[in-house]
Amino acid sequence: MFERLAVLPQYLMPKAALTRFAGRVASARRGERTTRLIRWFIGRYGVNMAEAADSDPAAYASFNEFFTRALKPGVRPLAAAEWVCPVDGAISQFGEIQLDQIFQAKGHQYSTTALVGGDAALAKPFEGGSFATIYLSPKDYHRIHMPCDGRLTRMIHVPGELFSVNPTTARGVPGLFARNERVVCHFDSPHGPFVLVLVGATIVGSMATVWHGVVNPPRSGEVREWAYTADEVVLKQGDEMGRFLLGSTVVLLFPKGRTVFNPAWAPAGAVRMGEVMATLQP
């Protein structure tokens, strides 16, 4: 009940207008005013600039440049595992997909078909499989990397709501991750197919991939899809695949019988890009 009351204002606020405004502010190049905003944000959220390739807040011409900052080489080494964590963040939930139902929070589930934009055939291989949902907080590094080698086959932009994706909202809004705007990326890999979903949220100005650039805006209100031919987009484990311009959540789907998650993982636990996420099931 507390969570539902806590998220009630989000149903009433003009989320789309706030997101457009935040996008304009984040992309603006306003010299010292931009630097002051970045310095405030670093102090407010405890951003670790010692890991950044450029640790000087004044070096970033816009807030977006700061928010999508690169890291120093070597600060996120890749573990020797079939699947590595694609982002820095906190584990929201992970585990087995029950038939086609993904666990969101106590009392809330959503379907794999809804998550991928209504395509039942795309969702079918993941019935009874496994999933991982990882939340990126404001202080985190916001580039998204490949959990393993992969070849892109499809990308789908699904319009939707722009609720916050923080833990309180996940507990209070039914079907949150299949309700918000999202970019669904389907890959083939040496370990089988997998889906990596970038979930939008309030004030997430846009989401981008390395092969397409900014996917949204535009926000046409209609599902948009791109198909990719063999070897058109091939990425190695650890390669950057996309980024959030202001933060959000990623959801990964794996087929049945493919993955054994890191035994050290637990809901709400902190994770870093490159650490062991899962190994192949024997």
Side-chain angles (χ1 to χ4, degrees):
M1 180 61 72
F2 168 78
E3 284 82 4
R4 293 190 179 185
L5 290 174
V7 301
L8 180 60
Q10 293 191 49
Y11 286 91
L12 305 176
M13 68 173 59
K15 296 184 287 296
L18 285 171
T19 298
R20 287 193 297 270
F21 174 75
R24 288 195 295 270
V25 171
S27 62
R29 295 168 176 259
R30 297 182 176 177
E32 182 56 34
R33 282 184 291 179
T34 296
T35 300
R36 286 200 299 269
L37 173 62
I38 292 170
R39 291 187 189 279
W40 172 85
F41 189 93
I42 291 169
R44 171 66 177 81
Y45 292 103
V47 177
N48 182 5
M49 292 300 289
E51 293 185 329
D54 196 329
S55 60
D56 180 7
Y60 299 96
S62 70
F63 187 84
N64 273 340
E65 287 187 13
F66 154 73
F67 199 79
T68 59
R69 63 196 175 276
L71 297 179
K72 291 177 181 177
V75 299
R76 293 292 184 276
L78 298 183
E82 286 88 1
W83 305 94
V84 298
C85 185
V87 292
D88 285 7
I91 300 164
S92 178
Q93 299 291 339
F94 70 103
E96 184 178 343
I97 299 169
Q98 301 296 324
L99 296 178
D100 70 338
Q101 294 293 301
I102 301 171
F103 181 69
Q104 176 177 301
K106 185 177 180 180
H108 297 306
Q109 294 181 319
Y110 59 95
S111 74
T112 53
T113 299
L115 178 69
V116 301
D119 189 329
L122 176 59
K124 183 69 174 177
F126 305 101
E127 288 187 7
S130 54
F131 77 97
T133 305
I134 306 172
Y135 167 65
L136 287 72
S137 73
K139 69 178 176 61
D140 287 319
Y141 167 66
H142 278 84
R143 298 190 185 191
I144 306 151
H145 294 256
M146 290 292 289
C148 67
D149 295 353
R151 179 178 64 83
L152 181 70
T153 62
R154 297 170 69 183
M155 182 175 76
I156 306 167
H157 173 233
V158 186
E161 298 284 350
L162 291 168
F163 287 101
S164 170
V165 289
N166 62 37
T168 298
T169 309
R171 292 190 295 268
V173 175
L176 173 65
F177 303 119
R179 192 169 180 169
N180 270 14
E181 179 181 34
R182 54 207 179 275
V183 175
V184 179
C185 302
H186 183 276
F187 292 92
D188 283 336
S189 85
H191 319 311
F194 72 94
V195 166
L196 197 161
V197 183
L198 286 63
V199 182
T202 311
I203 75 167
V204 176
S206 61
M207 294 174 279
T209 63
V210 296
W211 58 84
H212 182 92
V214 172
V215 179
N216 63 312
R219 290 182 166 98
S220 65
E222 298 180 354
V223 174
R224 296 181 292 148
E225 181 171 344
W226 297 263
Y228 297 87
T229 59
D231 301 326
E232 187 175 350
V233 179
V234 178
L235 299 170
K236 293 292 187 182
Q237 185 179 58
D239 286 352
E240 182 186 343
M241 62 76 61
R243 59 184 67 178
F244 289 113
L245 282 76
L246 303 182
S248 194
T249 286
V250 298
V251 182
L252 297 109
L253 304 181
F254 307 103
K256 184 176 182 179
R258 289 286 181 175
T259 55
V260 177
F261 282 105
N262 184 341
W265 272 33
V271 291
R272 287 162 65 109
M273 193 283 286
E275 72 175 39
V276 177
M277 178 170 64
T279 56
L280 286 178
Q281 186 168 324

